[in-house]
Amino acid sequence: MGLSAINVLQEIILETVRLTAQGEWKVFILDDRSKKLVDSVVKEDDILKENVIILHPELRSRIDRSAMAREQIALFRILNINFFPRESHLITFRDPWSFPVLYHPACNQLVREHMDDLAQKIVSVCVSLGEYPTIRYYRPQNASHEASVLCSHLARFVQDELDQYTKYHDDFPPASPRPRGALIITDRSMDLFAPFLHEFTYQAMIHDLLPIEEADKTSYKTIVNQGEANEEEKNMEIGEQDGIWVENRHLHMKDLLEKLVSDFNKFRADNPQFAESGDNANSLNNIKDMLAGLPQFQKGKEAYSLHLNMAQEAMNLFQKCRLPDIASVEQSLATGFDEDYKRPKNLADQVVRLLDDDNVTFPDRLRLIIEYMLYREGLFPSDIQKLLAHARLPSQDGEVIQNLELLGARVHKPMKDTRPINQSLFSRKPPPPQGPEDSSLSRYNPAVKFMLEEHIQGTLDQSIFPFTKPHLDAAEGLTGQENVSQASLRSAKPTWARTRPSAMEPRQRIIVFMAGGATYSESRVCYETSRSFSKDVFLTTSHMLTPSLFLRQVGDLSVDKRRLDLPADRPKPKAPAHLFEREPQPSALTTQPPTAAMSTMNINPNGPSNSPQPNGSVQSHVLASPPTNVPTSSTGKLAKKEKEKKRHHFFSSKK
């Protein structure tokens, strides 16, 4: 689908390697972070093909200590690639600590430096994509929380960084027939329901329910070759290289199960030696049994085993933990309508009934209380305590609820509430046609979806999403002029009525930055908007959120800052001491002139004399023989040894 951020970053790295000392052998030196960045998009073999020797971080110190190696540096060039493309249209900074820095009350002194860092990374994304976009940001109305100005400050930081980059780079932005891009900066406070709701599309559901391991690679531990002699537990990677994952990650679980069965049957038909089995492949259990009879095609076998196992495990938890009943209540709380799109009734009773159910997990009970509080726009403190007691949750969970005020939520409602009722950020859509029962559990759409649609249609409210340069960009962004090429802004003709370019036209690029973390449901709607409007929408964020992670991070907003172990509070990394040491200079061996012995030197060819000396000693000195071609002094040996070292050890330091 359109452009891929992974391919963009990969090409930037490989093209830089190719153009550096073309045709010659090169040394590729990486520190820990740059190695993770390169490894996230480029295979090591692809780099080695470009006449490159890769030195890993632990070998870099040898280069740093060598004066000869440092003298070979001919050029410094900065690559704006300080981000990690997780998917083709999903970019993260791998920085979960961004959330407490932005929202923890004790981190105010860290915010400015962190915003500088975020702005530089956002500009890196824009530069890598070749975009000099218009910039809009989220400005909440009637907000009283301290972080309500977060997006406006960050947007101006980004605008300044982008303008500075453009000022000093004449080749940016590159000439292109593509419509000028757009950058929309928002934050987690725009949509507090999304991180708590149960989402039943494949990717969001397994990250919510299963122990997915998130490190440099995303993986899941499962059993392969089940029932065979070579059965083993294996950590299997989940990523862009897995075609089954890429094709199905945004499907609803009901559709996914049907499609996996259909695709598996096609996979079996494409392998005749596997089609001999007469078993019926219409259930997950039968399919798993049939996989055990396929010793070849190991890669496809393991891929289907992985996804069948994950889907089956997720559906088991779906039934066991009463998720259909929970989701039905959640959708009414989040949308404000029941399944018939009428005002819901008796929601408090339904919530309490679920809180008393032993099959509902404790984290799900806390999520229900928070969703009910958000729906009611605050509760009496006594009511919150009653709900926590019903749920048998510890009092510490009350701090999680209280901390949501730092993100703009109304938590406590006074007896006489004079505050105006918050209007919905986006107008309610008319009820969709009646669909299957499963779709009633997925009625809620994240606010990002409506924000993108209104921006593309030119109806996004400027008072809530203003431009950083309204006098220059507002008319362009609101009258369809976003379809104007960024290479010819002055000469373009107006195109007011165009919101859906034809398939042959270059696709406009829209970058959404979500400060404080984004959810997988928000990633899904960005892909859906890209397809619906023929755009390339890139969701960019500090880190991806799961409900459990978000609960933990919100809870940490009230703990002592010293317990957070923020990178900014850790000792600053120092350069190796040897970089600041002066290199020892080769010193010649010197001797004092023999002035005292000159008077006693014997030049008599007949031999030495043992006559008494003025100082009372008996001394004899004989002139040395003329020097030969073979060095006999220690100085000559040291000089020869030093010469050999310079000739043979290019990257070693002088001892």
Side-chain angles (χ1 to χ4, degrees):
M1 180 184 65
L3 187 70
S4 169
I6 296 176
N7 294 339
V8 168
L9 192 56
Q10 183 183 75
E11 185 58 29
I12 290 174
I13 294 172
L14 291 178
E15 188 67 13
T16 302
V17 173
R18 293 188 194 106
L19 296 180
T20 304
Q22 297 184 47
E24 299 181 12
W25 282 94
K26 299 170 277 281
V27 177
F28 201 42
I29 306 169
L30 301 168
D31 59 21
D32 289 328
R33 179 171 176 83
S34 59
K35 186 175 189 308
K36 290 180 180 179
L37 191 152
V38 171
D39 289 346
S40 68
V41 294
V42 182
K43 295 180 180 179
E44 192 170 283
D45 287 345
D46 294 333
I47 298 178
L48 295 176
K49 292 176 184 176
E50 305 296 334
N51 294 345
V52 170
I53 299 172
I54 297 180
L55 291 186
H56 292 277
E58 59 268 17
L59 300 178
R60 179 170 179 169
S61 60
R62 292 189 61 190
I63 302 293
D64 292 335
R65 288 197 300 267
S66 172
M68 183 177 294
R70 292 198 298 272
E71 290 171 358
Q72 302 303 313
I73 298 176
L75 175 69
F76 283 101
R77 180 183 174 191
I78 297 175
L79 298 181
N80 290 277
I81 55 174
N82 193 14
F83 56 90
F84 295 87
R86 183 183 176 117
E87 298 173 7
S88 64
H89 288 66
L90 175 59
I91 298 169
T92 74
F93 300 152
R94 293 189 183 177
D95 186 13
W97 296 278
S98 179
F99 182 85
V101 171
L102 294 176
Y103 296 106
H104 196 293
C107 292
N108 288 340
Q109 74 280 7
L110 303 176
V111 171
R112 181 177 181 83
E113 181 180 354
H114 183 61
M115 282 197 175
D116 272 329
D117 182 59
L118 286 177
Q120 291 171 15
K121 291 177 179 177
I122 295 170
V123 170
S124 291
V125 175
C126 295
V127 171
S128 296
L129 295 176
E131 291 295 336
Y132 182 58
T134 60
I135 300 177
R136 306 182 74 168
Y137 59 92
Y138 173 53
R139 183 171 63 189
Q141 303 295 296
N142 304 319
S144 58
H145 61 293
E146 191 172 359
S148 62
V149 296
L150 187 160
C151 296
S152 61
H153 289 322
L154 182 56
R156 283 169 173 77
F157 276 48
V158 173
Q159 187 71 72
D160 291 344
E161 286 283 341
L162 201 55
D163 291 344
Q164 281 291 103
Y165 185 88
T166 306
K167 179 180 179 180
Y168 293 105
H169 293 80
D170 295 334
D171 58 345
F172 182 83
S176 170
R178 186 177 61 253
R180 188 182 181 188
L183 169 64
I184 306 176
I185 296 175
T186 182
D187 80 306
R188 190 63 271 156
S189 68
M190 186 179 79
D191 187 351
L192 290 177
F193 272 109
F196 293 117
L197 289 174
H198 287 86
E199 166 95 2
F200 298 124
T201 52
Y202 185 32
Q203 183 181 40
M205 188 173 182
I206 65 168
H207 277 87
D208 184 4
L209 301 180
L210 303 184
I212 304 294
E213 183 178 338
E214 295 281 358
D216 294 341
K217 304 289 185 181
T218 304
S219 61
Y220 179 71
K221 188 175 291 186
T222 187
I223 297 176
V224 297
N225 302 319
Q226 192 167 9
E228 301 180 18
N230 59 342
E231 177 180 319
E232 63 173 328
E233 191 175 51
K234 187 175 181 180
N235 237 8
M236 296 193 63
E237 183 180 346
I238 308 170
E240 295 297 288
Q241 77 290 340
D242 183 348
I244 300 175
W245 169 253
V246 173
E247 185 179 357
N248 300 301
R249 61 189 168 202
H250 297 142
L251 288 181
H252 191 279
M253 284 298 291
K254 175 181 178 295
D255 300 327
L256 170 76
L257 295 174
E258 295 176 355
K259 190 172 186 304
L260 280 179
V261 171
S262 174
D263 289 349
F264 178 78
N265 286 331
K266 185 177 183 300
F267 176 75
R268 186 180 66 163
D270 292 340
N271 297 276
Q273 68 275 28
F274 180 60
E276 296 175 359
S277 173
D279 294 337
N280 184 16
N282 291 322
S283 70
L284 293 178
N285 289 331
N286 286 342
I287 292 174
K288 289 163 64 177
D289 292 340
M290 294 166 66
L291 281 171
L294 183 63
Q296 54 271 68
F297 304 102
Q298 188 67 22
K299 186 176 180 180
K301 174 183 176 181
E302 290 185 354
Y304 275 104
S305 295
L306 169 67
H307 295 289
L308 289 168
N309 287 343
M310 287 196 301
Q312 186 65 68
E313 185 63 27
M315 290 307 297
N316 290 342
L317 292 172
F318 177 79
Q319 298 297 336
K320 177 182 178 182
C321 300
R322 298 285 305 277
L323 294 188
D325 297 329
I326 294 174
S328 178
V329 175
E330 284 183 337
Q331 293 296 313
S332 297
L333 295 172
T335 62
F337 297 100
D338 62 15
E339 297 176 2
D340 298 322
Y341 285 87
K342 299 178 180 178
R343 297 294 299 179
K345 299 179 180 179
N346 304 320
L347 278 179
D349 293 339
Q350 296 179 53
V351 169
V352 170
R353 198 177 308 118
L354 288 170
L355 295 180
D356 289 334
D357 193 323
D358 291 335
N359 292 319
V360 178
T361 66
F362 289 108
D364 284 347
R365 299 179 195 185
L366 180 57
R367 289 161 69 174
L368 269 173
I369 295 175
I370 291 173
E371 290 157 357
Y372 183 65
M373 179 269 297
L374 293 174
Y375 166 73
R376 295 293 303 271
E377 295 191 7
L379 297 170
F380 298 137
S382 58
D383 288 343
I384 294 177
Q385 294 304 318
K386 291 177 182 177
L387 291 172
L388 289 172
H390 265 292
R392 301 190 293 279
L393 294 173
S395 58
Q396 292 86 342
D397 285 342
E399 295 183 6
V400 178
I401 300 174
Q402 180 64 40
N403 290 344
L404 286 170
E405 282 193 343
L406 298 171
L407 279 79
R410 289 184 175 182
V411 175
H412 292 147
K413 180 181 293 185
M415 294 296 294
K416 293 184 178 180
D417 191 1
T418 58
R419 294 176 297 181
I421 298 177
N422 281 337
Q423 298 296 320
S424 176
L425 185 57
F426 299 100
S427 59
R428 299 289 184 182
K429 302 296 180 182
Q434 293 295 326
E437 181 181 353
D438 298 285
S439 64
S440 67
L441 303 181
S442 303
R443 304 193 307 275
Y444 182 80
N445 282 308
V448 168
K449 177 181 176 66
F450 302 118
M451 178 191 74
L452 285 169
E453 290 178 351
E454 292 188 9
H455 168 77
I456 293 170
Q457 295 166 356
T459 59
L460 189 60
D461 192 341
Q462 273 201 87
S463 65
I464 302 176
F465 291 92
F467 290 85
T468 55
K469 293 182 177 181
H471 56 293
L472 296 176
D473 298 335
E476 178 183 335
L478 295 178
T479 61
Q481 286 287 339
E482 68 274 9
N483 291 323
V484 177
S485 165
Q486 57 186 345
S488 57
L489 295 178
R490 294 183 178 179
S491 60
K493 296 180 180 180
T495 52
W496 295 282
R498 298 169 61 190
T499 59
R500 299 196 183 205
S502 66
M504 299 301 295
E505 294 181 5
R507 295 159 67 102
Q508 184 191 23
R509 296 169 184 175
I510 302 173
I511 304 167
V512 177
F513 178 74
M514 178 70 74
T519 68
Y520 291 100
S521 60
E522 290 165 336
S523 171
R524 171 181 56 81
V525 299
C526 286
Y527 280 95
E528 292 173 352
T529 304
S530 295
R531 287 190 294 269
S532 299
F533 293 91
S534 296
K535 307 288 185 182
D536 276 319
V537 181
F538 295 89
L539 177 61
T540 306
T541 186
S542 56
H543 62 299
M544 294 306 293
L545 290 171
T546 61
S548 58
L549 175 60
F550 191 59
L551 284 172
R552 186 170 76 248
Q553 289 196 313
V554 173
D556 286 342
L557 295 181
S558 57
V559 305
D560 192 306
K561 174 174 169 284
R562 292 169 294 183
R563 291 174 51 193
L564 298 177
D565 190 29
L566 297 174
D569 291 337
R570 299 171 188 167
K572 298 294 183 183
K574 295 182 179 179
H578 62 259
L579 295 179
F580 306 100
E581 296 176 356
R582 291 183 178 275
E583 295 194 10
Q585 299 296 326
S587 58
L589 296 179
T590 59
T591 57
Q592 295 296 327
T595 54
M598 289 292 287
S599 61
T600 62
M601 185 176 295
N602 181 13
I603 59 175
N604 186 353
N606 296 325
S609 170
N610 292 332
S611 58
Q613 304 303 318
N615 60 4
S617 64
V618 178
Q619 187 79 16
S620 65
H621 291 269
V622 182
L623 283 174
S625 303
T628 64
N629 290 333
V630 180
T632 58
S633 66
S634 59
T635 305
K637 293 179 180 179
L638 285 174
K640 183 177 181 181
K641 186 176 181 180
E642 187 68 18
K643 186 175 181 181
E644 291 176 355
K645 285 175 64 179
K646 287 184 177 180
R647 184 164 61 246
H648 297 294
H649 302 287
F650 295 103
F651 296 103
S652 62
S653 61
K654 298 176 182 180
K655 302 295 183 182

